[in-house]
Amino acid sequence: QVQLVESGGRSVQAGGSLRLSCAVAPSGITTTSRCVGWFRQAPGKEREGVARIYRSVANTYYADSVMGRFTISQDSTKNTVFLQMNSLKPEDTAMYYCAAGTYTGCVTGGRSSFGYWGQGTQVTVSS
């Protein structure tokens, strides 16, 4: 069983920055937690992938919509994953979730490969 807890979401002006954190427990990397991804869901829209990190070697993957603005990283213990969000836009407004998944999840980004999800943290960007 993998537990994930997100934090750091809040309201911010367009052009601003936020850093989200995702605490992953228990410590250590298992088959079902090789990858940690950030997803977001805006009202009335489907949940979409934002960024992913393959924890053992820190390979990263990004959605086109956030490439160059968002950075996913992890701390030295690999038990906390961050999403640094810069140059925020109103269209970035959403509930942000982190999820743990398999290696396939990192390669494909498919939600079905992520078996464990956090409760989410709200990001609101005003113009």
Side-chain angles (χ1 to χ4, degrees):
Q1 191 81 4
V2 179
Q3 294 178 325
L4 304 105
V5 179
E6 305 96 334
S7 61
R10 62 178 176 87
S11 296
V12 65
Q13 295 276 355
S17 298
L18 279 179
R19 189 175 82 157
L20 306 183
S21 298
C22 173
V24 184
S27 61
I29 298 173
T30 66
T31 301
T32 54
S33 67
R34 294 194 188 282
C35 183
V36 170
W38 284 97
F39 295 78
R40 66 186 181 185
Q41 187 167 19
K45 295 189 176 182
E46 287 196 3
R47 192 170 298 189
E48 62 174 356
V50 174
R52 310 182 296 279
I53 186 165
Y54 185 57
R55 296 167 73 194
S56 60
V57 294
N59 288 350
T60 57
Y61 309 81
Y62 295 95
D64 289 345
S65 59
V66 305
M67 186 79 70
R69 300 189 298 123
F70 290 11
T71 303
I72 190 170
S73 63
Q74 60 188 356
D75 69 356
S76 59
T77 69
K78 299 182 174 64
N79 293 326
T80 301
V81 174
F82 305 103
L83 184 68
Q84 178 67 43
M85 305 187 294
N86 299 328
S87 302
L88 283 161
K89 304 175 181 180
E91 51 263 44
D92 294 318
T93 295
M95 184 71 79
Y96 283 71
Y97 300 89
C98 66
T102 64
Y103 168 72
T104 300
C106 260
V107 173
T108 67
R111 294 205 309 267
S112 62
S113 296
F114 290 85
Y116 299 95
W117 293 79
Q119 293 300 305
T121 187
Q122 178 68 37
V123 172
T124 302
V125 184
S126 57
S127 57

